[in-house]
Structure formats: C-alpha cells, structure tokens
Amino acid sequence: MFQKILVANRGEIAVRIIRTLRELNIRSATVYSDIDRPSLHVARADEAYRIGPGPSAESYLRIDRVIDTAKRAGADAIHPGYGFLAENSDFARAAADAGITFIGPSPEAMDMMGNKVAARRCMVERDVPVIPGTGEPVESAEEAARQAEAVGYPVMLKAAAGGGGKGIRVIHEKEELSSALERTRSEAAKAFGDDTIFLEKYIENPRHIEVQILGDGHGNVIYLGERECSVQRRFQKLIEECPSAAVDESLRRRLGETAVEAARAVSYEGAGTVEFVMGKDRKFYFLEMNTRLQVEHPVTELTTGIDLVREQILVASGEKIGRKQEEIHLRGHAMEFRINAEDPSSGFLPSAGRVSNMHLPQGPGVRNDAGFYAGYDVPTIYDPLLAKLIVWAENRDLCIARSRRALHEYSIKGLRHNLAFHTWTLRQEAFIRGEYDTHFIDDSFRPEMLKPAGTEEDLARIAAVIRAWLDRDRMEITDGPARGPWRWVARREGIGGK
Amino acid sequence: MFQKILVANRGEIAVRIIRTLRELNIRSATVYSDIDRPSLHVARADEAYRIGPGPSAESYLRIDRVIDTAKRAGADAIHPGYGFLAENSDFARAAADAGITFIGPSPEAMDMMGNKVAARRCMVERDVPVIPGTGEPVESAEEAARQAEAVGYPVMLKAAAGGGGKGIRVIHEKEELSSALERTRSEAAKAFGDDTIFLEKYIENPRHIEVQILGDGHGNVIYLGERECSVQRRFQKLIEECPSAAVDESLRRRLGETAVEAARAVSYEGAGTVEFVMGKDRKFYFLEMNTRLQVEHPVTELTTGIDLVREQILVASGEKIGRKQEEIHLRGHAMEFRINAEDPSSGFLPSAGRVSNMHLPQGPGVRNDAGFYAGYDVPTIYDPLLAKLIVWAENRDLCIARSRRALHEYSIKGLRHNLAFHTWTLRQEAFIRGEYDTHFIDDSFRPEMLKPAGTEEDLARIAAVIRAWLDRDRMEITDGPARGPWRWVARREGIGGK
Amino acid sequence: MLYHTTLNGEKKKVEIENAGVGRYRMRIDERSFDVDCRFLSDGLYLSLLIDSASYTVETRRAKRPGVWVTRFGGDYLDVTVRDDLEERAAARREEEVAGGPAVLMSPMPGVVVKLSVSEGDLVEEGETVAVVEAMKMQNELGAPRSGRVASIVVTVGEALETRSPIATIEPVEEGE
Amino acid sequence: MLYHTTLNGEKKKVEIENAGVGRYRMRIDERSFDVDCRFLSDGLYLSLLIDSASYTVETRRAKRPGVWVTRFGGDYLDVTVRDDLEERAAARREEEVAGGPAVLMSPMPGVVVKLSVSEGDLVEEGETVAVVEAMKMQNELGAPRSGRVASIVVTVGEALETRSPIATIEPVEEGE
C-alpha cells in the first residue's frame, strides 16, 4: 500500500480525497497556488507545497511542477481528482516516468477515450450502441438525404467545430434537409471558420445517464449503478441522482453490462464513467467515457455504500476488486446539489468575495462535501463550485422531501450562490415526477420564478421593517457581531453578549 | 395523517424531530423556557411557545402547561422526545384526555415497564430471561445462602434504594456472604435510610446490549437490530454502536425475538428499546424496557436505512408497519459519539458558556445531530449533551478509521467538551478489538492519558510561540476577528481582511 | 412609526410600535402582529416569533438605499423599507433618473472578452452589450435600458473590478 | 528572540526570528524549522506549514499567565511560553506561592449539595472537599493541595459562579 499520496487538485474534491487518505492512514500531500494558501485543502492535508501563482496555467496545470513536487514530497502516488490534469495522458506518462503511480487508467485508455472519433469506432467494434449517424463528415446533400433515411428522422446536423449547443440544427422532415444543410454549413463557416458537418440521429427528450464502473489490473470490471444527470443548464450539470427515475432493474443491467463492455474495450483500470444519452424510447447510446472520478460520484457512494476514492486507491496499489457484481446493491435514493458561487437571479453570473458566515445542513441523510469555510475569500479564477450537498433517503419521494428540508437549513452569507435555484427545482412538477430531460432547465427556468409570492410577503415586510427599525436605533447589525444598545439589552436578559 | 405536532422537548432531539416533521410536511410546534428563547429548536420549528422559566420543573416538566400549549397551538399530536415527560404515563393520559395523540406506547405499557418489579414478573411469565435472583428482598443470611447457591456464584447484593452503582457488593465465595450481607445492609441503612437488599447473579464482564423494536396498533412487532452501549462512564453512555461486535447473526435473531416477545407482553405500540445485560458467556438477561426514542437511535437508522422518528409518527397515526421482519437488513457499521459540554481532563466537570466558534466534521459517512450553533450560550441547567456525531462505514474497522478522521475535523471553541475523550477511546486496543464491557472506561481511563507525547510536542511549542510572538506585536487575536497590523498585512497579501 | 415598503413592486404602509425589549406590535392593512425578535450567532441571524410562528431570517442591505435582501427558508426577497422622509427623497431621485442615461457596470471581477455593440448603436433593454469572462464562464451583460450607446469605456482584454463601468446607454427621444 | 517554553513539565528554550510576512525561522535544541503561518476564519484558526507539514491549530490563552491551550487534530496541549523577563517574574511568583495556602474554586456555575470536610480537617491533595451539582450531574471537587482546611466559605444549597471560592487549604508544617 502507498505511504504518501499527492493530491494534485484543490477545492472540495481535494478535501474529499484527503479525508479518505486519512481514513486509510496514508499520508496526504497537496499543492497550492499563491492565492490558495488559505484554502481548506491546504489546512486539511498533512503536507502542502506551493506550486506557483494563482492562474491554473502557471500552477495546477503545470505537469513539470506537479511531478517535481511529488518527488520532493516523496509521494509514491498521485491522485489527480477531476479537472486540471485528471484526463491528461502526458501527465500520467510523466508520473510513470518519475516512478510514481498515477491513480487512474493507463495513458493509452485515456488517449483512446479522449479522441471522440476513435472512441466511437472502438465502441462500434464492440457492439456498444452509438448514436446512428455518419461518424464521417457529410459531403453532399444527396449523401445527407441517404444517411438521414438510414437513421430515420428526426436527424441533427452538427458543425464539427461547434460545441456547447452551438452549430446544431434539428431536421424533422426530408423536405427541410437540403436547405438546412446549406444554412448550417454557411453558419459554421462564418462562426467557426470550418464548415465540416456531421449528421446523426436526433434523440428526442434526451436524458443524460451515466454508469459508474470500476476495473482492476486483474481483468475484473464491475458496474456500480447509474447516475441521472439531466438537470443541466447550458450543458453544466447542477443536480444528479442515483438511481435514475427512468431506469428499471432490467434496463440497469443492460446499461451496466454495456458500460462494462466499453471499459473492457480499453482494458480499463480504476474508477471511470461511461456516459450515455437515452431517448424517450429508453434506447441508449454511448456518448463518451470519463477516465476519472466524477464530481457527482457521492450519489453512487451513498446508494452502494462503497467509498469510490478508497476503491481507486486500492486498485491503483495493485489489489483486486474485493467484491463481485452480484454483491453490488443500490439502497434508497441519493441526490447531489452543486452549490455554486453564481447568481441564478441574474443569469447565473459568477460571484466572488468573502463568506461572511455559513450554516451547513445536518441531520439524517445529509452529506456535505464542502471546499470553503466561514471567513474564506472565494477566488474568481477557479471554477465556481463551492460545495456539494448530497442527500440520501429510503426512496425518491422521501429524498426530495429531505433535500427541501436540507436546503431550507443551508445558509451562505457574503456572496451570491444558487441555493434558491435548487429550491426552485425541487418544486417543479416535472422534477418531482422524475419526467425531465436535458432541456428541462433551459426550457422552464426564468430568474423571476425565484421571487415567490404568498403569505411570506407580509412576513418579509415585517422582518425588513424590524431591521430598519433597529438600524434607526443605531444598532450596527450588518455583517458582524451585534453592537451597541441591543447587545447591552441582550446581556441584561441573559440571552447573548459576553 | 397529523397536521401539526408539538415537540415537547429541547436541544438536539427537538431539532432532530423537527427535521423529520418538515420532511413529512407536518407543521412543527415546540415549547421553550425563557432561557431557551435563543435555542436552536425554537429557530428551527414552525411555531414556538413560551412555557415558563428556565428550570425544567417550572417549564418542560409541567404537564399542564405542555398540554395547554398543544391545545393553544392546535396540535393533533405530541412528540415527547427522550427525558423530561417522555416516560411519564400521567402525561400520556393527560394528552389522551385532551384529545391529542401521544406519540408513544399506551400509558398501561409505560406503567408496567416503569415498575421494575412488575416488569420482571411480567417477563418471567413470558419466558423472557431475567437475571437469576430473588426478585424479592432477602430477609436472612440463611435465605441469602440458599438463593446464592441456587443462582450460582458470583452473586451481587443490591440495596433497593441504591442506584448509579452505589449500594452494591459482589460476593465470589460462599464464606463471604453472611458478613457481606450484614455490611451491605448497615451501609444501605446509613446511606439511603432503607436497608432492603436484593440478591442476584453477578454478570461478569457485562455488556449493555439493547434491541430496537417497533410495534403498531395492528399486532405487528419487529426488531431493528441491536445497539452496543457498553462504553459508559459511571452508568452514562458515551459511545454506542450498531451492530455489536459481540453479536453474530444467530445471537442477533435470538436477542431480537426475545425483545419482540417482551414488547408483545405489554402490547407495545411505537418505537421502544429492550435493554439486556450480556455476560462473557453470551447469555443475556432482560434489564428494562425504555418506552421512548433513545438518544442513540441514529446508529440504528444508519444501518437499517429507516427513519425511526418517521416510523413513530406513522404508527401513532394508525398506520401499519410497512415492512416485514425479513425486509430489515443491517448494512455496514455505525457509531455514535455523544458530544458533551464536560471536561474529561478534570473529572468530566460540566462546562458552560458561549460557543465562540465551531466546525462540524463533514464528508462521507458523517452525520451530525447538533443542538447548538456558533454564538450559542450553553445553559447550565439542562443536560450537557451538545450534539451527537454519528459515523457510518462499510465495516467496523473502517468505521473506527472514519470516526477518527471525523473527530480530527471537529472543533468547538469557547467551552470545554469531551472530543479528546472520544479520540482517546478510539486508540484503545480493547475498543479497537471490540472486546470491552461496561467497566471499560471506569477501569482504564485516566485524565492524564489525554495529554499525548511525541513529535507534536515540538510543533505545539512552535505554534504557541508564534502566538506569543504575534501577541507581542499587539495583535489581538484571542476569541475574535484578527485586528491590528496582522490584518493589514493579510490584506496587502490578498489573503484576508475586508 | 409609519414605513413605506415595497415588495415585488407592490407598495404597502406598515406601522410599528415598540412593545418591550425585542418586541414589536405591527400593522399592515387591517392585520396586526405581535413580533418577538432575538439575534442568534452574534447578530448574524434574526429569530422572529410572529404570533408564535417561528422564522429564522437572514437579511442584509442591498446596494440601493433603503433596500434589504431578506431570506426566509429557501427564498430570497428584496424589500424596500423607508420612512416618510426617505420615501420623499427616493421619489425625487427616481424622477431625476427616469429620463437620464444608464451605466452598464460589471457585476463581478473579470476580463472583457467581447464587445457586441459600438458607440452610437441602438439597443433594447437586455440586449447583450459585452461578454465578460469570470470563473471560466463567459457572461453576457445586457443593456440596463433601451436607447443609444453613448460611450464604451473598456476594451477587449481589459480586466474589470466589480462595478467597473463598461458603457453608457442614453434614452432616445420619441420619434427620433 | 529567545523564549522559555514548558510542555508536559519539560522545559525547552526556543529561538525565533522573523523571516518575512507570516514566516518564521525557529530553533529548538539543534533542530530548526521554517514556518509559514496564516489565519483562517478571521483569526480563529491558524494554518501552519512547518517545513511543508500542514497543521490547523486552535489556541487560546489559559487563565494562568503565559499558558496557551493548543490543539492539533484531536489532541490538546498546555504550553507555557515566556520571554526572559516573564520567566523570571514567574519563578518569583512560584516561590512565593509554594509554601502558601491554596483556594478551592468552583470550576463551573452550580449549587453546593454537600460539604465533605469541616474546617480544621486534614486533607490529601485530590480528596473530595465539596460536591457541586451542575447540569444535573453531581461533581466532586478535590482539594487543590494537601494540608488543613483553613476556612469554608460556602454552605450547602448555595449557588456558585465559575471561580467562586469554596474553601482554603493551608500547608501543614513538617512534624506538626
């Protein structure tokens, strides 16, 4: 077993990995940029090493510095977390060259899955279903028509250089195809300087379903249930569930076995995720494989009872997976809410600043994976994920009820965040019924929906008025301890004030 | 289903019950004494009613006021929590008279189990094993000798008026008995003004094992595994586990079925706990039945996945238990640590004062049931339980490792607490092996053991010196925000200070 | 004392009397309430009992004068609370502003990655004026009012602080 | 600068030099350390990197002068830190106190439920002098030193504050 592991990441995921290292009695080392010196992962690790200035390109993304730090610290393995260098095969190779174990799959598996065209080809060879389409650029209108006929309408035209929902056009009928191709091509040329177009089947009401898999170096691969990740805003996941409301036992088995087949195709070692898109007909297609721990891995941990970071480390140290497929059981239901420093009432603009106070929810079924603390200055140069709230309950309905309760308890003061957005989502009929797809948020969320009406209006007035009233009496009560006469009164009554 | 429930309690258990009420969409009302106006349960409830001055005899123990408040609030049920009026059958009767459902068993069941002699007799009738002994006072030395012979040495002489370990004498050999009886009797007369003495078999290396049961008004009773509660200091439980390291599957079934039999004897409705003492020969004997929710119920919740407060409410509303015995499975291992405001380094003296800051542990497998918050003034007039840390993991060894990690993260500033005691316990070989009994703490804990030696000494010196150093520079840093030059320096470097 | 309050555009008058330490008697329309009010966590949260209903409230001053952002449970509300004097001052201020130019300011620190309009362009309220990158996200900033872009005071690549001005939009006269 | 430190009864001298903002160079015996030191949570916690080893430290002044209670992880340590001047003053103080009487004080607020000794009794250090009830628990308070009970200043039933005096124990001369 490893003696010391370098956690080459920051924020909530670094803190989460350090927790498991402590439980395994493995010494944890981590890296930090100048701006991250007061970050939680530095305080929680056993050792911490400066790695460069704030911008990630000069610190967390510097392969040379991370490897040098691992050597200097005497680490025998590196855990990359997610993001930054987690899916960089050069990094994995550099670690191997330095004689340090990279906790993840082989560089070859990373390269294969990192190349979309190659990955698709590899899946087709293994009979893993991919979205019917060309896989090659469309050269002419005739060819487009022929292919569209083959895969069946509706189809989608996709600019090769597009992404994030841009350069896409959906065609429902044969008659539209030829002119749509022309328009998509000319728009792509204008927008991206590249008019290469692919054609594929358009999946209606698509759900984003992914399967957690775990492989070892001894030929064992198992799946650990699916995750439903269709609550997205502009392709950013916001809420994830395990299990999916759209998946039953037999579908779960088929998804799982397909994911295992995909992983076997690249002799996958470690924890990985196979992403599928699933249509309303419950047919599913391979999208891509993420060769790392996912942000949303805790929902799988809560339903399977398995610590995925622990499994990653055991497998990387050469151990066999200690459990068989038939020993994996999902129990209850889990949901993860990503708590971001962004303001849903004004277009999800990022927010930054000092967390003046916070209160995390507690009690039955509540797990917090947080990367911040009261007094922390949230920097603007990294991603806005402050923390994850993960909730478990006996079934999906109870999990929704418990999540509402937990969000009700959650408080972060000092900067804008998206707690109110999650509360909104939990009130939506589509979400409650479990009948939603990846368009759900973009189609139905409007910022003004965050302002509720009802009897609480009166109460809000009252509260605000009291504040004004107190303020008038020279009671300084914003952003700091109560001072002045109120404090004195409080003491006299024995309820506060030292 | 109920529309509104009065939670007739305070502290962590009131907060915990209110959480489940919110999840069930039942309106919560609670009561508070004057000193509890700023307590967490008042802030978390939907409604809160003043019930009298601080001392419990004038507030939380006043049946009349609690019932009046329930009526005034329009509550259709009362949840008593634990302690205070939870096992008071007069209170249960008063609630019934007022047309309000008491969430608990019938007053008759409470009375029967509240009377030790009657409960013992009732158990004997049902073939539930009780500790072999007289059950009646010992009148003479001859009778004592005869009974001791019958139950087998060692035996215990117990003053009827004793309790909490006082007025007890263990006799290992026949020759000692007669003089021991004399001495015990005269001591009892002196100490308690009552020289009534019972004789019973002395259980060596006793473990305190209890079984959670759940009954409904339709004749169904199930058991939900056992709890190991042998980590006690002077009869106060400090750490509880589920399952017990001393109980295997077949013993679990026998314990469970015996507990169900005990509950059936009094037609038990609701959640209850049957307490057993178990010797090193794994024979177990009925001690008593607690006719309420236990402090340590969360370890059962984490391993069975069942919300016991929810079940209490459903059963009280007339529903049948929705699950069969064979559907109850324990998964993994859970431990609960009682976080008390008492100082283990000076004889567990109670502490009180303002919580100047706190940090609860988070991450995988950690549940916090807390009744306090940063800024809260812990009153001295109620029990010292501030919070419970409950930890779950896949098995007992991992649970110990995770508990150590969680305690490492836990911080409470401003008053003394017993976190260091729990850390100590987790280092003891007897605890790690699971081979301990109720004498464990009293026999092996010494306050000076909390002061560790080792390399951290040097570091502690360094830290302390730095503090002194900073202090010398007129930096006011105790118990409040950093001020003065340090703050200015921090700002210049962009690491702190608004 | 009488206060003018606005919530979600609706105005109401609220009357408040002191009724003991931390206690108030309030009237809104024909309804009246008893309020018991205590600070928790050294003044960071307010515990209210309004006719026995319990609320834990977070509230902070917004940038705009007289406005408080208040949270009950999961919901956030912007509430304006002004006394007579402040109410009259606010009314005067609003009159002056209504016909004048509006300044688009950056809501967070970031870098200008795109300017979508040029000086002199006509824009609708909400139409994208600039794109600012912060926390690896591109954020489209819309015009604060409809009108003509009077000036743009930043260039692509420039780093902005919170509330750095980006552009001024001036009203366009009817029939212009 | 040189400091006299005591931990678990063991005394050591520690030398500290400033080495930049929040940075120190320290020497204990023959070992030396680089220390990087930052406050977290507005000064409530101290994050230390000592030759890259990371510690989050809580510390507070104890009642006794120069003593700090310091926590690393789950452990609490009492450390005395004094400069030359303070060290000499402390030594003088200790000399004066050693032969004098000691006062038993209540460590918490509570009510006296029992007095186990009378004035004039001889007691051993740690022997129970009084029982004080607080938080529903009975707490036995032991003699702070061996000697004779010189005075008892409370009665059963009396309510005590933290540090209320209960009794004074004076030393007994050898051979007395």
Side-chain angles (χ1 to χ4, degrees), chain B residues 421-438:
Chain B
F421 168 81
H422 290 308
T423 301
W424 173 86
T425 306
L426 290 172
R427 286 181 186 147
Q428 302 313 302
E429 263 306 310
F431 184 82
I432 293 167
R433 287 198 313 269
E435 291 166 10
Y436 58 92
D437 58 41
T438 56

PDB file of all heavy atoms in Angstrom, chain B residues 421-438:
ATOM      1  N   PHE B 421     -11.720  12.980  24.671  1.00  0.00           N
ATOM      2  CA  PHE B 421     -12.010  11.684  25.274  1.00  0.00           C
ATOM      3  C   PHE B 421     -12.354  10.650  24.197  1.00  0.00           C
ATOM      4  O   PHE B 421     -11.893   9.505  24.231  1.00  0.00           O
ATOM      5  CB  PHE B 421     -13.163  11.802  26.273  1.00  0.00           C
ATOM      6  CG  PHE B 421     -13.694  10.465  26.703  1.00  0.00           C
ATOM      7  CD1 PHE B 421     -13.054   9.733  27.687  1.00  0.00           C
ATOM      8  CD2 PHE B 421     -14.814   9.926  26.087  1.00  0.00           C
ATOM      9  CE1 PHE B 421     -13.524   8.483  28.048  1.00  0.00           C
ATOM     10  CE2 PHE B 421     -15.294   8.679  26.443  1.00  0.00           C
ATOM     11  CZ  PHE B 421     -14.648   7.957  27.429  1.00  0.00           C
ATOM     12  N   HIS B 422     -13.185  11.057  23.234  1.00  0.00           N
ATOM     13  CA  HIS B 422     -13.568  10.117  22.175  1.00  0.00           C
ATOM     14  C   HIS B 422     -12.342   9.698  21.353  1.00  0.00           C
ATOM     15  O   HIS B 422     -12.200   8.534  20.990  1.00  0.00           O
ATOM     16  CB  HIS B 422     -14.635  10.744  21.292  1.00  0.00           C
ATOM     17  CG  HIS B 422     -15.956  10.897  21.981  1.00  0.00           C
ATOM     18  ND1 HIS B 422     -16.573   9.851  22.621  1.00  0.00           N
ATOM     19  CD2 HIS B 422     -16.772  11.966  22.152  1.00  0.00           C
ATOM     20  CE1 HIS B 422     -17.722  10.276  23.145  1.00  0.00           C
ATOM     21  NE2 HIS B 422     -17.856  11.549  22.884  1.00  0.00           N
ATOM     22  N   THR B 423     -11.476  10.667  21.068  1.00  0.00           N
ATOM     23  CA  THR B 423     -10.244  10.354  20.342  1.00  0.00           C
ATOM     24  C   THR B 423      -9.420   9.330  21.127  1.00  0.00           C
ATOM     25  O   THR B 423      -8.888   8.383  20.548  1.00  0.00           O
ATOM     26  CB  THR B 423      -9.432  11.652  20.138  1.00  0.00           C
ATOM     27  OG1 THR B 423     -10.241  12.574  19.410  1.00  0.00           O
ATOM     28  CG2 THR B 423      -8.157  11.386  19.361  1.00  0.00           C
ATOM     29  N   TRP B 424      -9.354   9.524  22.424  1.00  0.00           N
ATOM     30  CA  TRP B 424      -8.639   8.570  23.275  1.00  0.00           C
ATOM     31  C   TRP B 424      -9.243   7.177  23.152  1.00  0.00           C
ATOM     32  O   TRP B 424      -8.539   6.181  22.963  1.00  0.00           O
ATOM     33  CB  TRP B 424      -8.669   9.047  24.734  1.00  0.00           C
ATOM     34  CG  TRP B 424      -8.103   8.051  25.700  1.00  0.00           C
ATOM     35  CD1 TRP B 424      -6.789   7.893  26.042  1.00  0.00           C
ATOM     36  CD2 TRP B 424      -8.830   7.035  26.415  1.00  0.00           C
ATOM     37  NE1 TRP B 424      -6.652   6.857  26.924  1.00  0.00           N
ATOM     38  CE2 TRP B 424      -7.882   6.307  27.174  1.00  0.00           C
ATOM     39  CE3 TRP B 424     -10.179   6.683  26.487  1.00  0.00           C
ATOM     40  CZ2 TRP B 424      -8.251   5.242  28.002  1.00  0.00           C
ATOM     41  CZ3 TRP B 424     -10.554   5.628  27.302  1.00  0.00           C
ATOM     42  CH2 TRP B 424      -9.594   4.913  28.050  1.00  0.00           C
ATOM     43  N   THR B 425     -10.575   7.101  23.260  1.00  0.00           N
ATOM     44  CA  THR B 425     -11.239   5.791  23.210  1.00  0.00           C
ATOM     45  C   THR B 425     -10.906   5.051  21.915  1.00  0.00           C
ATOM     46  O   THR B 425     -10.646   3.845  21.917  1.00  0.00           O
ATOM     47  CB  THR B 425     -12.772   5.962  23.314  1.00  0.00           C
ATOM     48  OG1 THR B 425     -13.060   6.728  24.471  1.00  0.00           O
ATOM     49  CG2 THR B 425     -13.463   4.622  23.406  1.00  0.00           C
ATOM     50  N   LEU B 426     -10.882   5.796  20.817  1.00  0.00           N
ATOM     51  CA  LEU B 426     -10.646   5.170  19.514  1.00  0.00           C
ATOM     52  C   LEU B 426      -9.213   4.651  19.366  1.00  0.00           C
ATOM     53  O   LEU B 426      -8.893   3.986  18.394  1.00  0.00           O
ATOM     54  CB  LEU B 426     -10.965   6.164  18.386  1.00  0.00           C
ATOM     55  CG  LEU B 426     -12.450   6.473  18.215  1.00  0.00           C
ATOM     56  CD1 LEU B 426     -12.646   7.609  17.225  1.00  0.00           C
ATOM     57  CD2 LEU B 426     -13.196   5.230  17.719  1.00  0.00           C
ATOM     58  N   ARG B 427      -8.352   4.984  20.323  1.00  0.00           N
ATOM     59  CA  ARG B 427      -6.976   4.481  20.281  1.00  0.00           C
ATOM     60  C   ARG B 427      -6.777   3.256  21.179  1.00  0.00           C
ATOM     61  O   ARG B 427      -5.706   2.668  21.184  1.00  0.00           O
ATOM     62  CB  ARG B 427      -6.007   5.564  20.780  1.00  0.00           C
ATOM     63  CG  ARG B 427      -5.781   6.682  19.822  1.00  0.00           C
ATOM     64  CD  ARG B 427      -4.788   7.682  20.422  1.00  0.00           C
ATOM     65  NE  ARG B 427      -4.687   8.846  19.552  1.00  0.00           N
ATOM     66  CZ  ARG B 427      -4.477  10.078  19.986  1.00  0.00           C
ATOM     67  NH1 ARG B 427      -4.327  10.312  21.279  1.00  0.00           N
ATOM     68  NH2 ARG B 427      -4.399  11.074  19.135  1.00  0.00           N
ATOM     69  N   GLN B 428      -7.790   2.897  21.983  1.00  0.00           N
ATOM     70  CA  GLN B 428      -7.618   1.812  22.934  1.00  0.00           C
ATOM     71  C   GLN B 428      -7.771   0.455  22.245  1.00  0.00           C
ATOM     72  O   GLN B 428      -8.744   0.223  21.540  1.00  0.00           O
ATOM     73  CB  GLN B 428      -8.634   1.941  24.086  1.00  0.00           C
ATOM     74  CG  GLN B 428      -8.553   3.254  24.834  1.00  0.00           C
ATOM     75  CD  GLN B 428      -7.127   3.621  25.190  1.00  0.00           C
ATOM     76  OE1 GLN B 428      -6.437   2.881  25.860  1.00  0.00           O
ATOM     77  NE2 GLN B 428      -6.655   4.757  24.689  1.00  0.00           N
ATOM     78  N   GLU B 429      -6.819  -0.424  22.521  1.00  0.00           N
ATOM     79  CA  GLU B 429      -6.828  -1.755  21.903  1.00  0.00           C
ATOM     80  C   GLU B 429      -8.141  -2.491  22.185  1.00  0.00           C
ATOM     81  O   GLU B 429      -8.705  -3.125  21.304  1.00  0.00           O
ATOM     82  CB  GLU B 429      -5.643  -2.569  22.437  1.00  0.00           C
ATOM     83  CG  GLU B 429      -4.436  -2.556  21.522  1.00  0.00           C
ATOM     84  CD  GLU B 429      -4.786  -2.984  20.106  1.00  0.00           C
ATOM     85  OE1 GLU B 429      -5.434  -4.033  19.934  1.00  0.00           O
ATOM     86  OE2 GLU B 429      -4.426  -2.243  19.163  1.00  0.00           O
ATOM     87  N   ALA B 430      -8.608  -2.405  23.434  1.00  0.00           N
ATOM     88  CA  ALA B 430      -9.833  -3.124  23.798  1.00  0.00           C
ATOM     89  C   ALA B 430     -11.003  -2.642  22.953  1.00  0.00           C
ATOM     90  O   ALA B 430     -11.829  -3.434  22.491  1.00  0.00           O
ATOM     91  CB  ALA B 430     -10.146  -2.924  25.281  1.00  0.00           C
ATOM     92  N   PHE B 431     -11.048  -1.338  22.712  1.00  0.00           N
ATOM     93  CA  PHE B 431     -12.149  -0.814  21.891  1.00  0.00           C
ATOM     94  C   PHE B 431     -11.977  -1.247  20.439  1.00  0.00           C
ATOM     95  O   PHE B 431     -12.936  -1.667  19.784  1.00  0.00           O
ATOM     96  CB  PHE B 431     -12.227   0.710  21.998  1.00  0.00           C
ATOM     97  CG  PHE B 431     -13.403   1.268  21.244  1.00  0.00           C
ATOM     98  CD1 PHE B 431     -14.667   1.267  21.815  1.00  0.00           C
ATOM     99  CD2 PHE B 431     -13.263   1.750  19.956  1.00  0.00           C
ATOM    100  CE1 PHE B 431     -15.770   1.739  21.115  1.00  0.00           C
ATOM    101  CE2 PHE B 431     -14.356   2.223  19.243  1.00  0.00           C
ATOM    102  CZ  PHE B 431     -15.615   2.214  19.841  1.00  0.00           C
ATOM    103  N   ILE B 432     -10.747  -1.141  19.941  1.00  0.00           N
ATOM    104  CA  ILE B 432     -10.491  -1.483  18.541  1.00  0.00           C
ATOM    105  C   ILE B 432     -10.847  -2.950  18.273  1.00  0.00           C
ATOM    106  O   ILE B 432     -11.437  -3.277  17.246  1.00  0.00           O
ATOM    107  CB  ILE B 432      -9.014  -1.192  18.185  1.00  0.00           C
ATOM    108  CG1 ILE B 432      -8.773   0.320  18.231  1.00  0.00           C
ATOM    109  CG2 ILE B 432      -8.642  -1.760  16.824  1.00  0.00           C
ATOM    110  CD1 ILE B 432      -7.310   0.728  18.199  1.00  0.00           C
ATOM    111  N   ARG B 433     -10.503  -3.828  19.222  1.00  0.00           N
ATOM    112  CA  ARG B 433     -10.820  -5.247  19.048  1.00  0.00           C
ATOM    113  C   ARG B 433     -12.298  -5.536  19.296  1.00  0.00           C
ATOM    114  O   ARG B 433     -12.791  -6.611  18.987  1.00  0.00           O
ATOM    115  CB  ARG B 433      -9.990  -6.084  20.021  1.00  0.00           C
ATOM    116  CG  ARG B 433      -8.502  -6.211  19.656  1.00  0.00           C
ATOM    117  CD  ARG B 433      -7.878  -7.388  20.392  1.00  0.00           C
ATOM    118  NE  ARG B 433      -8.236  -7.377  21.808  1.00  0.00           N
ATOM    119  CZ  ARG B 433      -7.524  -6.788  22.768  1.00  0.00           C
ATOM    120  NH1 ARG B 433      -6.400  -6.162  22.460  1.00  0.00           N
ATOM    121  NH2 ARG B 433      -7.919  -6.804  24.011  1.00  0.00           N
ATOM    122  N   GLY B 434     -13.018  -4.586  19.871  1.00  0.00           N
ATOM    123  CA  GLY B 434     -14.432  -4.805  20.184  1.00  0.00           C
ATOM    124  C   GLY B 434     -14.611  -5.654  21.426  1.00  0.00           C
ATOM    125  O   GLY B 434     -15.688  -6.184  21.671  1.00  0.00           O
ATOM    126  N   GLU B 435     -13.539  -5.792  22.205  1.00  0.00           N
ATOM    127  CA  GLU B 435     -13.610  -6.633  23.405  1.00  0.00           C
ATOM    128  C   GLU B 435     -13.620  -5.756  24.648  1.00  0.00           C
ATOM    129  O   GLU B 435     -12.586  -5.540  25.282  1.00  0.00           O
ATOM    130  CB  GLU B 435     -12.423  -7.602  23.436  1.00  0.00           C
ATOM    131  CG  GLU B 435     -12.524  -8.646  22.343  1.00  0.00           C
ATOM    132  CD  GLU B 435     -11.228  -9.402  22.133  1.00  0.00           C
ATOM    133  OE1 GLU B 435     -10.315  -9.244  22.959  1.00  0.00           O
ATOM    134  OE2 GLU B 435     -11.139 -10.122  21.126  1.00  0.00           O
ATOM    135  N   TYR B 436     -14.756  -5.207  24.956  1.00  0.00           N
ATOM    136  CA  TYR B 436     -14.850  -4.346  26.123  1.00  0.00           C
ATOM    137  C   TYR B 436     -16.198  -4.593  26.789  1.00  0.00           C
ATOM    138  O   TYR B 436     -17.116  -5.154  26.185  1.00  0.00           O
ATOM    139  CB  TYR B 436     -14.699  -2.870  25.730  1.00  0.00           C
ATOM    140  CG  TYR B 436     -15.708  -2.374  24.730  1.00  0.00           C
ATOM    141  CD1 TYR B 436     -16.898  -1.779  25.152  1.00  0.00           C
ATOM    142  CD2 TYR B 436     -15.481  -2.470  23.354  1.00  0.00           C
ATOM    143  CE1 TYR B 436     -17.828  -1.311  24.238  1.00  0.00           C
ATOM    144  CE2 TYR B 436     -16.414  -2.006  22.435  1.00  0.00           C
ATOM    145  CZ  TYR B 436     -17.578  -1.428  22.887  1.00  0.00           C
ATOM    146  OH  TYR B 436     -18.496  -0.965  21.976  1.00  0.00           O
ATOM    147  N   ASP B 437     -16.301  -4.186  28.034  1.00  0.00           N
ATOM    148  CA  ASP B 437     -17.565  -4.319  28.748  1.00  0.00           C
ATOM    149  C   ASP B 437     -17.873  -2.994  29.438  1.00  0.00           C
ATOM    150  O   ASP B 437     -17.171  -2.000  29.220  1.00  0.00           O
ATOM    151  CB  ASP B 437     -17.523  -5.500  29.719  1.00  0.00           C
ATOM    152  CG  ASP B 437     -16.391  -5.361  30.726  1.00  0.00           C
ATOM    153  OD1 ASP B 437     -16.166  -4.235  31.227  1.00  0.00           O
ATOM    154  OD2 ASP B 437     -15.712  -6.363  31.009  1.00  0.00           O
ATOM    155  N   THR B 438     -18.906  -2.985  30.264  1.00  0.00           N
ATOM    156  CA  THR B 438     -19.338  -1.705  30.841  1.00  0.00           C
ATOM    157  C   THR B 438     -18.339  -1.134  31.842  1.00  0.00           C
ATOM    158  O   THR B 438     -18.459   0.013  32.246  1.00  0.00           O
ATOM    159  CB  THR B 438     -20.715  -1.846  31.535  1.00  0.00           C
ATOM    160  OG1 THR B 438     -20.624  -2.879  32.507  1.00  0.00           O
ATOM    161  CG2 THR B 438     -21.797  -2.198  30.533  1.00  0.00           C
TER     162      THR B 438
END
